[in-house]
Amino acid sequence: MSADSGAPVAGPDAPDTKPQDDAIPREIKTVIALLVVSAFVVILNETIMSVALPRLMEDLDITAATAQWLTTGFLLTMAVVIPTTGLILQRFSTRTVFLTAMGLFNSGTVIAAAAPGFGVLLGGRIIQACGTALMIPLLMTTVLNFVPASRRGRTMGLISIVIAVAPAIGPTFSGLILSVLSWRWLFLVVVPVALLSLGLGAVLVRNITTPRAVRFDILSILLSALAFGGLIYGLSSIGKAAADGEAPVPPLLPVSVGVVALVLFVLRQTVLQRADRALLDLRTFTQRTFAVGVLMMVLCMGALFGSLILLPMYLQNVLGLSTLSTGLILLPGGLTMGLIAPLVGKLFDRHGPRPLVIPGAFGMTAALVAMTTLGVSSPPAMVVAIHVFLCVSLGFMMTPLMTSALGSLEPSLYSHGSAIVSTLQQLAGAAGTALFVTMMTRGTAASVDGGSGPVTALADGIHGAFLVGAALAAIGAAASFLVRKPPAPPAPSAPADKAATPGGEPAPAGVGAGD
C-alpha cells in the first residue's frame, strides 16, 4: 500500500455524494455492498479448516499437532494484523485498503489451492489472514463514517451476517465440499468469487475517505503482536492440551508473555494517545456504552465459537453422525441468524438496543442451559431447535451491541473502535474455545473415573462445558440492563474523491512510518 492524500475533486466530474436527509448516496451503497460480499467470502475461510484437518493429515502425511497450525496460524496472523488497522484506515484510502486486502486474500487462496505440501499451504493461509484482518474494520469504519445514524442499524445488520454467519456456516461449507471433492476445492471454489470482488472493486471503489499523515509506532506493533498473539496462541493451546493431553509449548508460557505484553501495550497507548499517535486509542473505553457493548460482544463470540467447537464433537462422537450430516444440522442456525439480521437492524433503528439485547441475552442463557440436557439418545431435531434458538438470540444481540458501541464514539475514534472490536472478537473466540474444550475434557475424565463408558463420559463432559457457558451467559444477561442507546452523532462525512495520479491512485503524502 502506498500513502494517500489529496484534495476533493471539484467541478462537473465530482461525484454527488453529499448525504441528503437520511438517504445513503448511491456510491456509498455500492461500496458497502461490495465490502459486505467480499468480507463474507474472506471471513468464511476462518472456520473451514476445522472439518478438513483429518483429510489433510492423511493426504499430506502430517500429525494432528502440525495440521492444527492451519487454524492457529490463521488466528495468530489476524491477532497481529487487526490491531494495526486503526492507523491503517486513517493512513490509507478506502480504495487502497480494499484492493490490498482482496489482493492478499486472492494470492493466499491461489497459493493454498496449488500448495504441494504443508509449508506452502500454511503460507497461503497466513497471506489469506492478512487480507481478512483488513476487511472487517474497513467495512465497519466505512459504515460509521458514511451511513446516517437513523439507518445505521440495518446496515450494521449486514455486517453481523458477515461476522457471525460466515464462521458458523464454514464447517457446513467445508463438509459439503469434502463429501465429494478433495481439500483443494475448499480454496478453488472461492477463487472465482474473490477475483470477481477484486475486479469489481478496482472499477467501482473510489477514494471516499480523506487519509491523513499518521505515524506507526514500531514498539506498539511489537507489543501488540506479543500481547494478542501470545494470548490467542496460549488460549488455543489450553484447549488443545485439554483435548489431546499435550501441547507443543506449555500454555502458561505464551499466556504469561501475552499478559505482560498487554500491560506494557496499554501503558504505551496511554502515552501515545495524548498526541493522537496510539496504535489503538483506548479512550474509546471511557464511553460507557462502548465498554458495556464490547463486554457483551465478547460473551457472545465466546458462546458462539465455544458451541461451534462442542456441537460437532457431540454430533459425531456421541450421536455417531457423519461430517456431512453434522454440517447440515448446524446450517439452519447460521442461515436463520443471517435472515433475521436485516429485521434486527430495522428494529434497532426504531427502538434502540435494549428491547433487543435484553431478551437476546436471556435467550442465549436459556439456549446454553438447554444444551446441558443433550445426552446419548437426544434426537438430532432437538439439536437443530436449540442451535437455531441460540443463533436467533445471538442475532438479537450482535447488531444492536456493535452499532450502539461504535456509534457512541467520536468520529475520530471510529477506526480505533472497529479495530478494538475486531481484535477482542478474535480473543473471545479463542477464550470461548479454550474454556468449553477444557471443561468438556475435565468433565469427561471425571465421568470415566466414575465408571462411565467413553460415549456417556463424553456426553457428561459436554454437559458440564455448556453449564459453565450458561453461567457466563447469565452474567451477560445481567449486564444487558446496562446497555444504552448512544447519543445522536454528527452528520456522516461526505466522501472525498482524491486528486489522482496518472495511475488512478491518490498522490502519496510522503510521510514516513515508525519511530
Side-chain angles (χ1 to χ4, degrees):
M1 278 187 295
S2 60
D4 301 322
S5 68
V9 172
D13 294 329
D16 182 13
T17 54
K18 184 178 181 181
Q20 297 180 358
D21 300 324
D22 287 342
I24 303 176
R26 181 175 57 84
E27 182 180 0
I28 301 302
K29 287 183 179 179
T30 300
V31 171
I32 291 175
L34 188 57
L35 288 175
V36 167
V37 173
S38 302
F40 188 90
V41 172
V42 301
I43 294 294
L44 179 69
N45 279 263
E46 189 170 349
T47 55
I48 62 171
M49 282 290 103
S50 58
V51 176
L53 291 183
R55 177 80 63 84
L56 287 163
M57 290 166 58
E58 180 181 348
D59 290 355
L60 301 178
D61 192 23
I62 55 178
T63 65
T66 301
Q68 191 64 41
W69 273 101
L70 295 172
T71 298
T72 303
F74 193 99
L75 292 175
L76 287 176
T77 304
M78 296 270 285
V80 171
V81 176
I82 287 177
T84 67
T85 58
L87 286 185
I88 287 174
L89 294 175
Q90 296 179 60
R91 185 71 173 85
F92 304 101
S93 74
T94 305
R95 175 182 170 84
T96 299
V97 176
F98 174 81
L99 294 180
T100 300
M102 289 308 297
L104 287 169
F105 180 79
N106 274 282
S107 299
T109 303
V110 171
I111 290 171
F118 172 78
V120 177
L121 177 58
L122 178 61
R125 286 285 286 171
I126 290 173
I127 296 172
Q128 273 189 323
C130 290
T132 303
L134 292 171
M135 188 58 67
I136 288 295
L138 172 62
L139 176 55
M140 287 194 290
T141 303
T142 300
V143 170
L144 290 168
N145 276 308
F146 297 110
V147 174
S150 61
R151 298 177 62 88
R152 198 173 281 168
R154 66 198 75 177
T155 308
M156 291 294 264
L158 298 175
I159 302 179
S160 296
I161 297 176
V162 171
I163 292 177
V165 179
I169 69 173
T172 305
F173 173 79
S174 183
L176 290 172
I177 294 294
L178 293 176
S179 66
V180 293
L181 298 168
S182 75
W183 60 266
R184 295 185 188 276
W185 284 94
L186 293 175
F187 305 103
L188 289 173
V189 297
V190 173
V191 170
V193 180
L195 286 175
L196 179 61
S197 295
L198 178 61
L200 289 174
V203 175
L204 298 176
V205 176
R206 305 179 69 180
N207 295 328
I208 61 175
T209 56
T210 304
R212 64 186 183 92
V214 293
R215 302 181 68 181
F216 291 90
D217 181 63
I218 301 301
L219 179 58
S220 292
I221 294 175
L222 292 176
L223 290 174
S224 170
L226 288 173
F228 298 111
L231 287 172
I232 287 180
Y233 178 73
L235 291 170
S236 299
S237 298
I238 290 174
K240 179 173 176 52
D244 301 340
E246 60 180 12
V249 177
L252 184 60
L253 178 60
V255 169
S256 300
V257 171
V259 169
V260 172
L262 182 61
V263 172
L264 295 175
F265 176 77
V266 169
L267 294 175
R268 179 68 173 169
Q269 302 319 294
T270 57
V271 173
L272 293 177
Q273 67 193 22
R274 298 170 189 167
D276 290 327
R277 293 182 52 230
L279 184 67
L280 284 181
D281 198 319
L282 303 181
R283 286 175 293 187
T284 52
F285 287 101
T286 61
Q287 288 287 342
R288 182 178 125 169
T289 301
F290 180 84
V292 172
V294 166
L295 171 63
M296 296 287 293
M297 279 188 281
V298 165
L299 292 173
C300 283
M301 295 305 291
L304 176 62
F305 277 84
S307 63
L308 284 176
I309 287 292
L310 289 197
L311 282 178
M313 292 183 183
Y314 168 76
L315 291 169
Q316 294 178 52
N317 298 330
V318 176
L319 297 187
L321 300 179
S322 67
T323 300
L324 179 59
S325 297
T326 298
L328 293 175
I329 285 175
L330 298 179
L331 182 60
L335 293 179
T336 302
M337 192 185 301
L339 290 173
I340 68 170
L343 172 63
V344 171
K346 291 181 181 179
L347 292 174
F348 171 84
D349 288 336
R350 292 180 183 176
H351 306 292
R354 296 189 75 196
L356 299 166
V357 171
I358 292 174
F362 279 90
M364 179 178 71
T365 305
L368 290 171
V369 170
M371 286 181 179
T372 66
T373 65
L374 297 175
V376 295
S377 59
S378 298
M382 181 179 177
V383 181
V384 173
I386 295 174
H387 184 242
V388 168
F389 184 56
L390 174 65
C391 289
V392 169
S393 301
L394 291 172
F396 268 73
M397 298 173 67
M398 290 296 295
T399 296
L401 287 172
M402 187 164 54
T403 309
S404 59
L406 294 173
S408 67
L409 302 177
E410 298 177 4
S412 61
L413 295 176
Y414 282 162
S415 61
H416 291 283
S418 299
I420 289 171
V421 167
S422 298
T423 300
L424 293 183
Q425 283 174 341
Q426 296 297 317
L427 192 59
T433 299
L435 174 65
F436 278 53
V437 171
T438 299
M439 298 310 300
M440 177 202 71
T441 304
R442 290 181 177 178
T444 300
S447 184
V448 168
D449 292 341
S452 299
V455 174
T456 301
L458 180 58
D460 291 341
I462 291 174
H463 170 278
F466 280 125
L467 191 61
V468 173
L472 289 177
I475 296 174
S480 67
F481 291 97
L482 300 176
V483 174
R484 294 289 186 272
K485 186 174 184 178
S493 306
D497 205 15
K498 308 297 169 284
T501 65
E505 281 296 303
V511 178
D515 263 350

